[in-house]
C-alpha cells in the first residue's frame, strides 16, 4: 500500500496567519493516464470530512480561495493563506492513484 | 443538492451480523461510485472499498476483503456495508462518500456517518 506521511502532525497558528501542511507519498502518485490523484480533506470535530482540493490543486466547489494545493510526484503541500476560526480541525491528504486508496495520518490545526 | 443519508447508530454484540446503509439523492446515483471509510474515534481515516452503482463493480481494500461486503440496490439508490460476524475491533464510525472521475476520484460528498459499537 502507498504510505502517506503528513508533517507536521499538529500546527498551532494565529488567526490571520498562513499555515502549511506537507504530505509525502511512498511512491509516485502520477497515474498511467497522466493525472495525479492527490486530494486534501478537512474534518471538523464531530463532522464528516469534506473535500477541499483534488488533483493536487483544484479547489472543490465552495472552497474559499485562501486554500491552495501544490506539488508533484511524491511531495505535496496544502497552504492556507490566512487562517480563520472555522479552519480548525484535522486535515488529511489522500491518494486515489493506486488501489487501495490511502490517507495520511492527519494534521491537527489549532488556533494559537 | 447532493445528499448521502446514512442509517442510524448501531449497538451489537460480537458475532452478530449487521448491514448499514447509505441512500443517495440529488444526483444520478447509478452513474457514480460509492466508497466506505472507517474511522475509529480519535483516529484517522481508513479506506475500505468502493462500488459502482451502475453495475455493482466493486474494489476492496485487501485489509477489509473478506471481512465486509459492499453492495448496492439501484432501485432505491442505496449502498450497503455489511458484516456477517462482528468483532469488538469493528467499533468505529463508518462513512459513505461519493467518488467521481471529474473530482479526481476524490470522495466529494459524504454521509453523516454511522457509529457502530460492538460490545458484549
Amino acid at each position: 500500500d502507498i504510505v502517506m506521511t503528513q508533517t507536521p502532525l499538529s500546527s498551532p497558528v494565529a488567526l490571520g496567519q498562513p499555515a502549511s501542511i506537507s504530505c509525502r507519498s511512498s511512491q509516485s502518485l502520477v497515474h498511467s493516464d497522466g493525472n495525479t490523484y492527490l486530494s486534501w480533506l478537512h474534518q471538523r470535530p464531530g463532522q464528516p470530512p469534506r473535500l477541499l482540493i483534488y488533483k493536487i490543486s483544484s479547489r472543490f466547489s465552495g472552497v474559499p480561495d485562501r486554500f491552495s494545493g501544490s506539488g508533484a510526484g511524491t511531495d505535496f503541500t496544502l497552504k492556507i493563506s490566512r487562517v480563520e476560526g472555522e479552519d480548525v480541525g484535522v486535515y488529511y491528504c489522500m491518494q486515489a492513484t493506486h488501489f487501495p486508496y490511502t490517507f495520511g495520518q492527519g494534521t491537527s490545526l489549532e488556533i494559537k | 443538492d447532493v445528499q448521502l443519508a446514512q442509517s442510524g447508530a448501531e449497538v451489537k454484540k460480537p458475532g452478530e451480523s449487521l448491514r448499514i446503509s447509505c441512500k443517495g439523492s440529488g444526483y444520478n446515483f447509478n452513474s457514480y461510485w460509492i466508497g466506505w471509510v472507517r474511522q475509529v474515534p480519535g483516529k484517522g481515516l481508513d479506506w475500505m472499498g468502493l462500488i459502482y452503482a451502475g453495475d455493482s463493480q466493486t474494489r476492496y481494500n485487501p485489509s477489509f476483503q473478506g471481512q465486509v461486503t459492499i453492495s448496492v440496490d439501484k432501485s432505491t439508490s442505496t449502498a450497503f456495508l455489511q458484516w456477517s460476524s462482528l468483532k469488538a475491533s469493528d467499533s468505529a464510525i463508518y462513512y459513505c462518500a461519493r467518488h467521481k472521475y471529474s473530482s479526481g476520484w476524490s470522495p466529494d460528498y459524504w454521509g453523516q456517518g454511522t457509529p457502530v459499537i460492538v460490545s458484549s
Side-chain angles (χ1 to χ4, degrees):
Chain A
D1 296 3
I2 305 297
V3 177
M4 306 294 286
T5 304
Q6 291 181 226
T7 54
L9 296 182
S10 179
S11 179
V13 181
L15 289 172
Q17 293 301 301
S20 179
I21 301 169
S22 295
C23 176
R24 176 167 289 178
S25 58
S26 59
Q27 291 179 38
S28 172
L29 298 186
V30 180
H31 194 275
S32 56
D33 66 8
N35 290 306
T36 299
Y37 297 117
L38 183 283
S39 56
W40 291 94
L41 301 102
H42 175 218
Q43 186 177 33
R44 298 188 182 105
Q47 294 189 17
R50 69 173 182 126
L51 180 64
L52 296 175
I53 302 282
Y54 63 94
K55 286 200 288 187
I56 303 178
S57 59
S58 296
R59 268 189 304 277
F60 186 58
S61 173
V63 174
D65 60 8
R66 64 177 184 276
F67 291 93
S68 64
S70 63
T74 61
D75 288 286
F76 306 93
T77 303
L78 175 71
K79 290 184 179 173
I80 309 174
S81 59
R82 295 173 308 280
V83 169
E84 298 187 3
E86 63 182 16
D87 299 337
V88 298
V90 181
Y91 290 81
Y92 296 94
C93 59
M94 174 192 165
Q95 67 83 21
T97 295
H98 305 280
F99 279 105
Y101 298 169
T102 47
F103 294 91
Q105 70 271 55
T107 295
S108 179
L109 182 77
E110 52 213 46
I111 302 301
K112 197 187 297 183
Chain B
D1 288 4
V2 174
Q3 292 190 19
L4 294 172
Q6 295 188 233
S7 48
E10 301 276 359
V11 179
K12 292 288 190 178
K13 290 182 167 46
E16 291 187 332
S17 62
L18 174 65
R19 189 176 77 164
I20 62 175
S21 66
C22 169
K23 183 175 175 61
S25 62
Y27 72 101
N28 184 358
F29 184 80
N30 294 344
S31 297
Y32 292 87
W33 294 77
I34 293 286
W36 289 92
V37 173
R38 181 181 74 178
Q39 186 170 41
V40 174
K43 301 294 186 183
L45 303 171
D46 299 313
W47 183 80
M48 302 175 72
L50 73 173
I51 188 166
Y52 183 62
D55 63 6
S56 297
Q57 182 186 164
T58 311
R59 297 293 301 265
Y60 287 96
N61 181 334
S63 296
F64 291 93
Q65 181 118 36
Q67 310 304 309
V68 297
T69 301
I70 297 172
S71 61
V72 69
D73 180 345
K74 289 195 296 184
S75 68
T76 59
S77 300
T78 303
F80 301 97
L81 178 67
Q82 68 182 65
W83 295 259
S84 59
S85 180
L86 286 160
K87 310 182 201 49
S89 56
D90 293 320
S91 296
I93 299 173
Y94 293 87
Y95 294 102
C96 65
R98 189 184 80 165
H99 293 252
K100 68 174 185 172
Y101 173 73
S102 60
S103 295
W105 294 117
S106 307
D108 59 359
Y109 288 92
W110 291 67
Q112 80 275 22
T114 296
V116 173
I117 297 172
V118 184
S119 174
S120 54

